[in-house]
Amino acid sequence: MTLSQRRRFRALWASSLAVAILAAAVAANGGEAGGLSLPVDPLAGRRVFLEKGCPACHAVWGEGGGLGPDLGRQGIWHSVMQLAGTFWNHSPEMIEKMRERRMPRPAISSEEMADLAAFLYFLNYFDPPGDPARGEKLFAAKGCARCHALGASKVEVGPRLDKFKNTASPVFLAAAMWKSGPAMASAMAEMRIPRPELRGSELSDILTYIQRASVEPSQEKIYAIPGSPARGQKIFAQRGCAKCHAIRGEGGGVGPDLGRLGLHKSVTEIAGLMWDHGPAMWARMRELGIPVPVFDQREISDLIAYLFFLQYFDPPGDANRGREVYIEKGCVLCHYAPRGAEKRFAPDLSASPALHSPFELASAMWNHAPVMEEQIRERGLPWPRFENDDVRDLVEYLRSQH
């Protein structure tokens, strides 16, 4: 990790305090998604991560232990129940390593799990540093250099981009691109410049090039405070986004259903999608007489965070598939369900309070893993592993049995 990356990492950790201060003005429960609250402050779980000793084994962007994977660089799950499955899958290995090193295994409450889950999910929101050499080529190929001056350039069509040198987050750029988008589209049409599309890490590469090529005097970098999904949900409703876009069937049908697009992408990828689809959205708004909403940097940050968290909670599972999981994974060998099944030594999973929320479930699976590991080992049974949506479907089956 380079010095600049380490500084960025430390600043990101420190920014969680600022987020918490801002969050105090927001309703405590945040937004609701399927009866579950979206996090107000996704970085609150940093405290849990540190207090439970996770850095002893896991690094985040190179800072921390090396026994387990770097959680800032390895996106290993995409929803809360998938996180519960991941914890369970790796429990035998983690238990063994902790036992060898005489490390206590911390208990994690459902409230702590909610904070920790949001934090781990949010780590994939940030982009790794872009490639400035690739960004330079893209800056020319996408036509940016024809309108925007940078470094020694004297172009005067659009504003100079040197001012972005000290902006460490693409959220600043995203807000500016959205606000100026209609005017930029008109200028490009007049100059017969094809509107460029921004895919994957291209915006991150361009921003890194802008920062490197700027002739602005070096100053302390300005770090954007990560957005709040709960506040972003309110902005989505207040600014009329729901008039055109549905979230898993709830909302307008003019544009695509954003809850089904799989927007678990980095901040620059989401910003790039907003840029790519801008002209079509603005044209449709004109047809419908809807004013184009303007977002400041705080609001665009919150809105992108909300879009990023749309896949955080699982949709309802498949009870029939869950029954197959219950049998295939060997749950039936130890646990029983009440409908005529033979009673076994382990409790009835269908009556477990852990089924009430995914955070209670993840907490229970983590806390009881050592006991279950011992029981399974004594009986010579294989440790069941859950993949994809196995846990979600299993929960749906168990709920149907009570």
Side-chain angles (χ1 to χ4, degrees):
M1 175 177 271
T2 65
L3 178 61
S4 63
Q5 286 175 292
R6 287 196 294 272
R7 286 174 176 167
R8 175 179 182 270
F9 175 76
R10 287 193 290 269
L12 174 63
W13 286 118
S15 71
S16 63
L17 176 61
V19 178
I21 294 172
L22 288 172
V26 184
N29 289 332
E32 297 295 321
L36 296 167
S37 297
L38 286 170
V40 172
D41 173 12
L43 292 182
R46 166 186 176 270
R47 175 189 57 80
V48 179
F49 188 81
L50 295 175
E51 289 179 354
K52 301 300 180 179
C54 305
C57 297
H58 293 283
V60 175
W61 300 322
E63 297 286 334
L67 288 176
D70 186 319
L71 301 178
R73 294 171 176 163
Q74 182 175 331
I76 56 176
W77 58 284
H78 298 289
S79 72
V80 178
M81 288 193 187
Q82 286 176 353
L83 172 64
T86 298
F87 279 170
W88 172 268
N89 291 345
H90 294 283
S91 282
E93 182 180 1
M94 288 191 287
I95 291 170
E96 183 61 28
K97 287 183 177 180
M98 288 179 168
R99 187 181 294 130
E100 289 175 356
R101 291 162 178 79
R102 297 182 179 181
M103 297 168 60
R105 183 178 172 89
I108 302 177
S109 69
S110 59
E111 293 79 11
E112 291 170 331
M113 186 62 74
D115 286 342
L116 182 62
F119 170 68
L120 295 177
Y121 188 90
F122 203 53
L123 290 178
N124 292 323
Y125 174 84
F126 302 100
D127 298 89
D131 182 342
R134 185 166 180 261
E136 182 177 10
K137 295 177 181 178
L138 290 168
F139 192 79
K142 301 289 185 180
C144 309
R146 294 182 61 181
C147 296
H148 295 284
L150 179 64
S153 172
K154 303 297 183 182
V155 175
E156 297 182 357
V157 177
R160 292 189 64 86
L161 299 181
D162 297 271
K163 62 183 178 180
F164 288 104
K165 177 176 182 176
N166 298 318
T167 301
S169 170
V171 169
F172 288 112
L173 191 56
M177 289 167 61
W178 176 264
K179 181 178 180 180
S180 304
M184 293 171 68
S186 298
M188 283 188 285
E190 291 178 7
M191 297 175 66
R192 297 184 180 180
I193 299 175
R195 184 178 177 84
E197 293 185 342
L198 298 170
R199 303 297 172 85
S201 65
E202 289 181 341
L203 184 56
S204 180
D205 294 334
I206 291 173
L207 181 56
T208 302
Y209 165 65
I210 291 172
Q211 293 167 341
R212 295 285 182 88
S214 172
V215 295
E216 289 277 321
S218 292
Q219 297 176 5
E220 187 68 22
K221 288 185 179 294
I222 300 170
Y223 290 88
I225 297 174
S228 165
R231 288 197 301 265
Q233 185 179 40
K234 294 178 180 178
I235 291 170
F236 187 86
Q238 292 168 355
R239 299 304 174 85
C241 306
K243 293 179 181 178
C244 295
H245 293 285
I247 303 296
R248 289 182 176 173
E250 295 292 328
V254 177
D257 187 323
L258 299 180
R260 293 171 177 155
L261 283 184
L263 290 175
H264 188 258
K265 303 177 183 294
S266 70
V267 57
T268 53
E269 289 180 294
I270 295 178
L273 287 172
M274 292 176 68
W275 165 266
D276 290 345
H277 296 283
M281 289 192 287
W282 299 322
R284 194 71 174 117
M285 287 178 186
R286 284 194 298 270
E287 291 177 8
L288 298 173
I290 299 174
V292 177
V294 177
F295 306 102
D296 60 26
Q297 293 166 1
R298 170 82 273 174
E299 292 168 335
I300 201 75
S301 178
D302 292 342
L303 181 61
I304 291 177
Y306 169 60
L307 296 177
F308 180 82
F309 266 80
L310 288 178
Q311 273 68 51
Y312 183 56
F313 294 118
D314 300 80
D318 182 335
N320 292 328
R321 171 59 189 148
R323 182 177 183 277
E324 295 175 6
V325 172
Y326 184 77
I327 296 172
E328 291 172 359
K329 302 299 180 179
C331 309
V332 68
L333 298 176
C334 301
H335 298 276
Y336 69 100
R339 293 188 178 179
E342 177 185 353
K343 184 173 182 178
R344 293 180 170 84
F345 70 90
D348 175 8
L349 291 178
S350 68
S352 172
L355 300 180
H356 295 167
S357 88
F359 302 119
E360 290 187 46
L361 177 71
S363 172
M365 292 179 74
W366 169 267
N367 291 333
H368 295 291
V371 175
M372 291 187 281
E373 188 270 342
E374 183 177 351
Q375 294 284 343
I376 289 175
R377 180 162 38 83
E378 287 180 358
R379 288 165 173 76
L381 299 173
W383 186 264
R385 295 185 179 273
F386 299 105
E387 300 176 3
N388 301 321
D389 293 319
D390 283 349
V391 174
R392 182 193 72 183
D393 294 337
L394 176 60
V395 167
E396 194 69 22
Y397 166 66
L398 293 173
R399 286 172 175 166
S400 73
Q401 295 299 298
H402 199 266

